């Protein structure tokens, strides 16, 4: 009686599996089930290793489960099977200890070879320093003096806020090396542009907590650790757009610090670098002129949305207990210089990180003017970029300096 | 479990020493507060972990509900992070570990022919610390600053950004650690000193062996963890710089110390499961465990190797090449003894005479799905590939396969296997099988797609994701709710069994061997006050 209950139970359960599995399987996107091959020599070798170990695992699984299934069918009491009494065999034990060992050695050798190649940083032709911040990346082209911040593109940042009612699929489509793809949360304001066919050395560090710079198509993932420099490298074969993400939990907006690498031919890269260098000069000039109030507040709103909003919220109301409000806060309505100091230096022991090296004088002036004249505040104060500059000269930006000098020391002495 | 009826047991127990004033449990609630009886304490541990299982499970459902669709719909990312953190802490320290300690309390004295645990008052204390520690831990979720949100791995500097709850979390971890170490000392003392005369080490049931080794792992690693969290505490409050680069410290040092605890911890969560499965499969195959000696040696090898593989959790932190190679090779080595165990279970089934009652179903489910998790573990050992898998959903799939249809399934198998011994009643076999099949369908719908999204590039611990991961996440969430709610069946079956049912015989299962099956069902309040004689028929090997 028991066994018939069991059999009908089994049959129902089996049907349930089929009923669930079939439509779900048909409906799912089978394109996104495996590791991509990527676009570097290393990423191709990693892909090969991955597939090889995967097939080995499938074979082991098939053998073990096959024997189990045969046994469960043949050696069941309901078929009248009599139990054997043996329970030991040294020779069998030796076989199934040694065989896996041989498979492992066969797997370990190619894996070690790829690993050694990944760790060979010699003969790199250019270096890019990547610094992780909560929650943006800073790229520094060490050889050409170009540097900038890169963070989640503003329209994505709006769409990912709680309660934002956006049709993600219709709104966010872009291209990468696979062609048209949905790019929600995978777009940045400033892309990292690199030349193809060049061995690029990436140097990783962080300013606050540990991050991890991961671009799957380049087979690169390395932790960015405050106070330390890690390195890895890539030589990209094909021009294209390669997207990545922060892989190490780094706080509230860990899921929202994407990476976009645009690989272009060398001439195009040279032109881009020249353009960036000119833009740096122009930005410096911007910091020296006088701005109008309207101009400051309009720019400040954009800076606020990109840098402050995710914690202090769209209307400056903050999140009680976690992130203080800006509306009516003592800092944003009190002394202007203290307000500037708070933003330049951050608040130690909290998630308010120093913005001294993140924002330009013009952006700082704009966002402070905005905070004092919007979000429910109306102090009427405006701050000019030149004022920030004069304060900056006084302020001891110790944190950023020490990170930078530690980095330079390691750079000049070599890594590892 | 709580059906241990006072008068019934006192009557059953007429043959024990009448000069003793403890015939049965004290009446009322105080029985549970003051008890030093290994069975009562085992019961407390088991109920506690069942309650925590639903608390941790509810947190998992918050996570899966948020991940049902792309976009942020339900919770703030900060709360999402504290859900992932708390879910792990609750499931590891509040469910799997106490449940295994509960089983150890119930079964080890009965398996080795001892009247009780060696240190009964310590036993009471090691249980009663836990509810207080978890009350403190869970209360942080209601604090203004929110609960811990930096991941259960507590990596600095991120963990140092935690608000006021930080000190509470560290305090609770210390107490959980004290509880575990005391429990382990008790288990070691019991196994060494309380075996019935004539029972040699190589005659002990596998569950006793695996727990003996687990207890040593706990005693060796929990103090290391306690040291690591204390260093966090002094970094935060007393101006030290153990993990602060600006003061000459190193954030990666924390990871080394943490995983020196954390990797043996992984085996703490699975070795007792090996012992349970090694008890159940021979019973229902009606054939002795294949390769007992090699099972013992394999368990000991796994325990030893667990101390020299920790940095495989840290391949992306920028280790020197020699370090990466060493940890790759040592990690791959672990698959050898683990493979031996799986092969031995299969060989035990081979040419047996199998029936498939619920405990056997869960045990076979364990062997198959634990092996799936073990094979993805072998993939993760290949360092160049691991650098791609690391911190993605592939890793989430891997460790959930070894922990849910692994450790949790072994706990369910053990519950069904020994429930008749604990309560004296048979559980509802039909419902038990339904529980198995429904859980097994949903657990795979839940965790298998995570392999896919992980390989395709979805990082773990994110509250929102890009659209190419949307389909599989929706499927996983359906599986999560199915699996979560089907566990209510488990509670129903247990409660029903505690309240009554077909009476169980002493032996309960036709093929069961071992001392625990020589006493009546339900097991009397005091067992083996006179040491039993050890005969070949009562020894499991």
């Amino acid at each position: 009686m028991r066994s018939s209950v069991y059999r009908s139970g089994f049959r129902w359960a089996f049907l349930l599996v089929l009923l669930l599995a079939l439509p779900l399987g048909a409906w799912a996107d089978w394109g996104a089930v495996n590791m991509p091959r990527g676009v570097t020599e290393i990423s191709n070798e990693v892909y090969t290793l991955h597939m090889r170990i995967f097939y080995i695992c499938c074979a082991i699984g098939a053998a073990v489960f096959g024997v189990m299934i045969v046994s469960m069918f043949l050696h069941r009491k309901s078929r009248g099977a009599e139990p054997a009494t043996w329970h030991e065999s040294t020779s069998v034990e030796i076989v199934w200890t040694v065989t896996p060992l041989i498979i492992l050695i066969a797997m370990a050798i190619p894996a070690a070879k790829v690993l050694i190649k990944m760790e060979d940083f010699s003969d790199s032709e250019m270096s890019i320093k990547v610094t992780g911040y909560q929650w943006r990346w800073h790229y520094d082209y060490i050889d050409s003096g170009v540097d900038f911040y890169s963070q989640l593109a503003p329209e994505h940042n709006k769409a990912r806020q709680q309660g934002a009612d956006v049709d993600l699929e219709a709104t966010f489509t872009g291209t990468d090396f696979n062609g048209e793809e949905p790019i929600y949360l995978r777009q940045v304001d400033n892309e990292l542009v690199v030349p193809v066919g060049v061995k690029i050395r990436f140097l990783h560090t962080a300013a606050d907590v540990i991050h991890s710079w991961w671009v799957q198509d380049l087979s690169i993932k390395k932790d960015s650790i405050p106070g330390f420099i890690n390195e890895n490298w890539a030589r990209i074969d094909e021009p294209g757009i390669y997207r990545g993400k922060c892989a190490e939990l780094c706080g509230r907006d860990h899921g929202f610090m994407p990476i976009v690498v645009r690989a272009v031919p060398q001439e195009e890269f040279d032109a881009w670098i020249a353009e960036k260098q000119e833009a740096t000069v122009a930005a410096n000039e911007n910091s020296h002129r006088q701005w109008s109030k309207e101009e400051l507040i309009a720019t400040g709103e954009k800076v606020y949305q990109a840098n402050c909003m995710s914690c202090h919220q769209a209307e400056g109301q903050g999140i009680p207990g976690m992130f203080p409000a800006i509306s009516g806060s003592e800092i944003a309505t009190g002394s202007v210089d203290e307000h500037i100091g708070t933003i330049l230096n951050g608040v130690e022991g909290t998630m308010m990180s120093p913005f001294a090296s993140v924002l330009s004088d013009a952006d700082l002036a704009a966002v402070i003017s905005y905070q004092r004249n919007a979000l429910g505040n109306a102090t009427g104060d405006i701050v000019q970029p030149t004022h920030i500059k004069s304060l900056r000269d006084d302020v001891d930006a110790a944190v950023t300096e020490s990170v930078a000098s530690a980095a330079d020391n390691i750079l000049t002495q070599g890594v590892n | 479990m709580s059906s241990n009826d006072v008068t019934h047991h006192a009557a059953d127990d007429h043959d024990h020493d009448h000069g003793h004033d403890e015939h049965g449990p004290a009446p009322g609630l105080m029985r549970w507060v003051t008890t030093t009886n290994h069975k009562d304490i085992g019961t407390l541990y088991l109920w506690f972990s069942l309650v925590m299982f639903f608390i941790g499970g509810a947190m998992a459902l918050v996570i899966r509900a948020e991940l049902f669709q792309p976009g942020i719909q339900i919770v703030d990312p900060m709360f999402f992070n504290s859900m992932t953190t708390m879910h792990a802490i609750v499931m590891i320290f509040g469910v799997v570990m106490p449940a295994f300690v509960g089983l150890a309390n119930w079964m080890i004295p009965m398996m080795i022919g001892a009247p009780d645990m060696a240190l009964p008052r310590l036993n009471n204390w090691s249980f009663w610390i836990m509810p207080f520690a978890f009350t403190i831990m869970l209360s942080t979720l209601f604090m203004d600053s929110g609960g811990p949100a930096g991941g259960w791995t507590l990596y600095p500097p991120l963990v140092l950004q935690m608000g006021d709850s930080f000190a509470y979390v560290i305090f609770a971890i210390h107490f959980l650690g004290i509880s575990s170490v005391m429990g382990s000392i008790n288990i070691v003392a019991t196994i060494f000193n309380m075996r019935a005369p004539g029972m040699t080490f190589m005659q002990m049931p596998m569950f006793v062996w695996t727990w003996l080794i687990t207890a040593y792992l706990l005693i060796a690693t929990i103090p290391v963890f306690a040291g690591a969290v204390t260093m966090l505490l002094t970094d935060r409050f007393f101006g030290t710089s153990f993990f602060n680069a600006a003061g000459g410290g190193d954030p990666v040092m924390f990871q080394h110390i943490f995983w020196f605890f954390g990797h043996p911890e992984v085996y703490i969560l699975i070795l007792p499961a090996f012992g349970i499965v090694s008890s159940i499969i021979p019973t229902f195959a009606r054939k002795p465990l294949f390769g007992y000696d090699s099972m013992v040696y394999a368990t000991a090898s796994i325990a030893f190797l667990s101390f020299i593989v920790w940095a495989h959790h840290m391949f992306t932190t920028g280790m020197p090449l020699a370090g990466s190679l060493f940890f790759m090779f040592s990690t791959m080595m672990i698959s050898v003894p683990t493979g031996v165990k799986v092969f031995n279970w299969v060989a035990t089934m081979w040419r047996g005479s199998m029936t498939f009652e619920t405990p056997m179903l869960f045990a076979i489910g364990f062997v198959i799905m634990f092996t799936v998790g073990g094979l993805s573990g072998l993939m993760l050992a290949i360092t160049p590939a691991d650098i791609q898998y690391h911190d993605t959903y592939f890793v989430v799939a891997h460790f959930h396969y070894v922990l849910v249809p692994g450790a949790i399934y072994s706990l369910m198998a053990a519950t069904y296997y020994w429930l008749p011994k604990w309560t004296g009643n048979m559980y509802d076999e039909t419902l038990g099988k339904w529980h198995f099949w429904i859980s097994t369908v949903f657990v795979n719908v839940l965790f298998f797609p995570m392999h896919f999204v992980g390989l395709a590039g979805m990082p773990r611990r994110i509250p929102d994701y890009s659209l190419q991961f949307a389909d599989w996440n929706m499927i996983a969430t359906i599986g999560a709710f199915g699996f979560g709610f089907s566990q209510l069946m488990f509670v129903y079956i247990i409660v029903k069994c505690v309240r009554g049912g077909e009476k169980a015989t002493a032996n309960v299962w036709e093929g069961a061997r071992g001392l625990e099956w020589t006493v009546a069902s339900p097991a009397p309040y005091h067992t083996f006050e006179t040491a039993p004689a050890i005969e070949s028929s009562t020894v499991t090997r």
Side-chain angles (χ1 to χ4, degrees):
Chain A
M1 188 241 152
R2 222 179 233 182
S3 82
S4 77
V5 167
Y6 165 70
R7 277 202 199 114
S8 72
F10 178 83
R11 212 170 290 142
W12 279 107
F14 190 71
L15 268 177
L16 194 68
V17 177
L18 283 182
L19 280 174
L20 271 170
L22 287 179
L24 290 182
W27 159 56
D29 175 9
W30 283 98
V33 295
N34 198 6
M35 183 191 286
R37 237 175 211 290
V39 290
T40 65
E41 188 191 341
I42 293 284
S43 76
N44 273 282
E45 289 180 17
V46 168
Y47 177 82
T48 309
L49 277 178
H50 158 69
M51 289 316 287
R52 189 180 302 169
I53 188 74
F54 172 69
Y55 289 133
I56 290 175
C57 287
C58 288
I60 298 171
V64 173
F65 303 151
V67 173
M68 281 180 81
I69 289 164
V70 169
S71 176
M72 281 189 277
F73 177 72
L74 291 178
H75 308 138
R76 49 168 71 220
K77 198 183 175 198
S78 57
R79 292 182 90 248
E82 284 294 319
T85 51
W86 45 260
H87 55 87
E88 238 157 7
S89 164
T90 312
S91 49
V92 170
E93 299 270 1
I94 289 172
V95 169
W96 66 41
T97 309
V98 174
T99 318
L101 213 55
I102 294 169
I103 298 174
L104 288 182
I105 292 168
M107 202 54 227
I109 292 168
K113 276 186 189 155
V114 177
L115 189 60
I116 289 166
K117 206 186 268 186
M118 287 172 101
E119 295 284 311
D120 176 10
F121 309 114
S122 58
D123 304 324
S124 61
E125 293 151 84
M126 66 180 284
S127 297
I128 299 175
K129 189 172 121 213
V130 181
T131 311
Y133 285 79
Q134 281 173 319
W135 294 277
R136 57 180 71 75
W137 299 100
H138 178 256
Y139 299 117
D140 187 352
Y141 292 73
I142 292 171
D143 318 285
S144 42
V146 167
D147 76 294
F148 56 88
Y149 286 85
S150 172
Q151 62 188 354
L152 184 64
E155 64 277 16
H156 295 249
N157 199 29
K158 275 189 199 133
R160 62 101 176 173
Q161 302 298 328
Q162 195 165 0
D165 189 22
V166 180
D167 181 348
L168 301 174
E169 189 140 23
T171 317
F172 300 113
T173 307
T175 39
D176 60 18
F177 88 113
N178 291 323
E180 289 276 299
E181 280 228 57
I183 53 160
Y184 173 56
L185 298 184
R186 303 170 78 207
Q187 188 70 292
V188 295
D189 52 359
N190 297 310
E191 295 166 338
L192 178 73
V193 178
V194 293
V196 293
V198 169
K199 183 166 182 176
I200 307 160
R201 183 171 71 141
F202 293 96
L203 298 155
H204 301 276
T205 188
D208 34 48
V209 301
I210 301 175
H211 303 267
S212 189
W213 200 77
W214 178 34
V215 182
Q216 207 180 13
D217 290 317
L218 312 187
S219 207
I220 277 189
K221 184 188 285 153
K222 203 69 150 189
D223 290 0
S224 319
I225 299 164
F228 291 81
I229 301 250
N230 272 329
E231 59 183 340
N232 56 10
W233 66 274
R235 182 185 280 119
I236 303 172
D237 297 334
E238 307 164 34
I241 295 173
Y242 309 111
R243 297 177 194 276
K245 279 185 178 298
C246 177
E248 177 67 46
L249 178 61
C250 57
R252 183 174 184 271
D253 284 353
H254 160 58
F256 309 102
M257 46 188 293
I259 297 155
V260 177
V261 178
R262 179 190 288 276
V264 297
Q266 183 72 47
E267 315 80 69
E268 210 175 303
F269 174 74
D270 293 339
W272 177 84
I273 279 283
E275 196 183 301
K276 273 280 172 191
Q277 281 163 334
E278 275 168 35
T280 313
V281 175
N284 275 338
E285 277 166 15
N286 245 339
S287 295
H288 288 99
R289 68 179 175 86
Q290 291 291 305
W291 289 48
S292 74
K293 185 173 178 180
E294 292 68 36
E295 209 181 351
L296 282 168
I297 291 176
T299 313
E301 186 174 5
K302 286 185 197 127
V303 178
Y304 181 84
Q305 286 170 352
N307 296 281
C308 319
M309 189 177 74
S310 71
C311 296
H312 296 291
Q313 304 297 300
E315 305 299 326
Q317 74 273 31
I319 298 178
M322 262 191 257
F323 305 110
I326 287 175
S327 312
S329 84
E330 276 177 31
I331 293 170
T333 56
S335 141
V336 175
D337 285 357
E338 264 175 43
H339 189 181
I340 297 172
T342 308
I343 294 179
L344 279 178
N345 302 321
V347 180
E348 226 185 311
T350 71
M351 272 176 264
M352 178 66 195
S353 52
F355 280 82
S357 67
V358 178
L359 296 176
S360 68
D361 293 348
D363 284 349
L364 280 165
V367 79
I368 291 163
S369 305
Y370 174 73
Q371 290 182 356
R372 301 183 76 83
N373 293 289
L375 306 172
N377 300 334
T379 60
D381 306 324
I382 62 161
V383 179
Q384 288 295 340
T386 44
H387 181 60
I388 305 273
K389 181 159 186 344
S390 67
L391 274 181
R392 233 192 236 280
D393 296 337
D394 306 335
V395 166
D396 176 24
V399 182
T400 37
E401 290 283 305
S402 69
V403 169
S405 67
D408 291 341
N409 281 341
I410 298 171
L411 277 181
T412 46
Q413 290 159 13
V415 190
N416 282 341
Chain B
M1 309 226 268
S2 60
S3 80
N4 283 331
D5 178 296
V6 181
T7 50
H8 178 66
H9 286 304
D12 252 11
D13 232 6
H14 57 82
D15 62 345
H16 86 267
D17 179 9
H18 278 257
H20 217 262
D21 56 5
E22 287 176 324
H23 288 262
L29 257 186
M30 284 311 280
R31 163 185 176 182
W32 300 104
V33 179
T34 60
T35 184
T36 55
N37 179 288
H38 74 101
K39 300 185 181 79
D40 281 355
I41 294 171
T43 303
L44 285 170
Y45 267 113
L46 290 170
W47 278 115
F48 174 78
S49 61
L50 190 62
V51 170
M52 295 305 287
F53 183 53
F54 283 89
I55 294 176
M59 292 171 179
L61 293 186
V62 172
I63 296 168
R64 287 309 327 169
E66 179 55 62
L67 293 173
F68 185 62
Q69 285 184 313
I72 302 269
Q73 289 89 15
I74 302 170
V75 293
D76 183 82
M78 204 67 186
F79 186 73
F80 180 91
N81 288 347
S82 59
M83 283 293 102
T84 55
T85 306
M86 272 301 194
H87 164 70
I89 291 174
V90 167
M91 287 298 191
I92 293 168
F93 297 101
V95 179
V96 178
M97 289 168 71
F100 281 141
V101 178
L103 290 174
N105 258 292
W106 252 102
M107 303 318 299
I108 287 177
M110 281 169 45
M111 285 175 156
I112 62 174
D116 204 310
M117 297 293 281
L119 309 163
R121 292 188 187 184
L122 186 82
N123 207 9
N124 173 292
W125 189 219
S126 37
F127 171 76
W128 277 110
I129 284 178
M130 295 199 50
F132 293 99
F134 264 105
T135 306
I136 293 169
M137 180 73 84
L138 293 174
S139 72
T140 61
L141 287 173
F142 301 96
M143 295 179 182
D144 276 352
S145 60
W152 82 279
T153 49
L154 304 172
Y155 283 2
L158 181 62
V159 74
L160 300 173
Q161 291 184 344
M162 200 195 304
D164 296 337
S165 52
F166 179 79
Y168 293 87
V169 170
I170 303 291
F171 187 71
I173 287 174
H174 272 303
F175 273 92
L176 293 171
I178 290 170
S179 161
S180 291
V181 170
M182 293 198 307
S184 306
I185 290 172
N186 206 351
I187 287 167
V188 170
T190 306
I191 296 173
F192 269 93
N193 299 304
M194 310 272 288
R195 277 169 293 129
M199 178 177 272
T200 64
F201 275 103
M202 292 310 269
Q203 284 173 332
M204 296 193 311
M206 276 309 295
F207 180 69
V208 180
W209 255 117
T210 53
W211 240 118
L212 180 63
I213 291 167
T214 304
Y216 274 107
L217 290 182
L218 278 163
I219 293 169
T221 60
I222 293 280
V224 176
F225 186 37
V229 296
T230 306
M231 286 189 259
L232 287 178
L233 199 72
T234 61
D235 268 15
R236 169 75 180 256
F237 293 112
F238 305 111
T240 59
S241 298
F242 290 110
F243 309 126
N244 176 4
D250 181 352
V252 179
M253 184 173 76
F254 177 86
Q255 300 185 20
H256 281 288
I257 302 172
F258 178 86
W259 286 113
F260 185 81
F261 147 80
H263 200 79
E265 170 71 20
V266 171
Y267 292 96
I268 289 162
L269 300 176
I270 205 69
L271 291 185
F274 290 168
I276 292 164
V277 170
S278 302
S279 306
I280 292 174
I281 290 181
T283 298
F284 295 97
R286 293 169 181 75
K287 185 164 157 278
L289 182 66
F290 185 86
Y292 175 94
D293 292 17
S294 67
M295 284 301 228
V296 173
Y297 300 140
T299 309
S301 314
I302 292 172
F304 169 73
L305 287 171
S306 77
F307 284 105
I308 57 165
V309 296
W310 76 88
H312 70 213
H313 298 268
M314 305 164 52
F315 281 136
T316 63
T317 55
M319 260 186 289
L321 178 62
S324 294
L325 287 172
F326 170 80
F327 285 108
M328 173 166 78
F329 298 145
S330 63
T331 303
M332 292 172 85
M333 281 298 294
I334 286 206
S335 59
V336 175
T338 314
V340 167
K341 297 197 83 94
V342 172
F343 299 145
N344 281 348
W345 290 321
V346 177
T348 307
M349 291 165 66
W350 189 259
R351 300 258 338 259
S353 172
M354 276 185 276
T355 50
F356 300 90
E357 286 87 346
T358 310
M360 183 64 161
L361 290 177
F362 274 99
I364 292 174
F366 170 94
V367 175
I368 293 179
M369 287 180 276
F370 172 80
T371 304
V372 170
L375 291 171
S376 60
L378 181 56
M379 294 174 73
L380 285 158
I382 309 296
T383 307
D386 175 80
I387 289 171
Q388 288 293 294
Y389 307 142
H390 179 72
D391 269 333
T392 69
Y393 260 85
F394 188 76
V395 176
V396 178
H398 158 71
F399 66 71
H400 279 96
Y401 260 91
V402 292
L403 286 175
V404 183
I408 297 286
Y409 264 37
S410 81
L411 288 165
M412 289 174 176
T415 306
Y416 285 113
Y417 186 54
W418 285 308
L419 202 51
K421 178 57 64 189
W422 298 336
T423 63
N425 306 320
M426 295 304 290
Y427 60 86
D428 187 325
E429 187 65 55
T430 312
L431 278 182
K433 280 175 174 152
W434 274 103
H435 174 220
F436 170 78
W437 284 109
I438 293 174
S439 299
T440 302
V441 169
F442 281 120
V443 86
N444 285 292
V445 174
L446 163 57
F447 293 122
F448 211 81
M450 291 185 183
H451 291 114
F452 302 151
V453 289
L455 290 176
M458 178 167 163
R460 58 192 285 211
R461 294 167 163 173
I462 55 172
D464 192 5
Y465 48 82
S466 336
L467 295 172
Q468 70 270 39
F469 309 127
D471 293 350
W472 292 114
N473 271 291
M474 191 175 276
I475 292 169
T477 297
I478 293 168
F481 277 82
F483 182 75
F485 283 99
S486 57
Q487 300 322 305
L488 294 171
M489 287 180 74
F490 186 47
V491 180
Y492 175 76
I493 295 166
I494 292 171
V495 171
K496 191 175 168 207
C497 178
V498 168
R499 300 180 121 201
E502 191 193 325
K503 292 294 157 212
T505 60
N507 210 49
V508 184
W509 310 109
E510 187 188 17
R513 294 216 297 170
L515 288 172
E516 78 263 38
W517 308 107
T518 63
V519 301
S521 301
Y525 197 59
H526 297 288
T527 39
F528 298 126
E529 284 180 291
T530 314
I534 303 299
E535 296 153 19
S536 62
S537 65
T538 52
V539 170
T540 49
R541 68 167 303 182

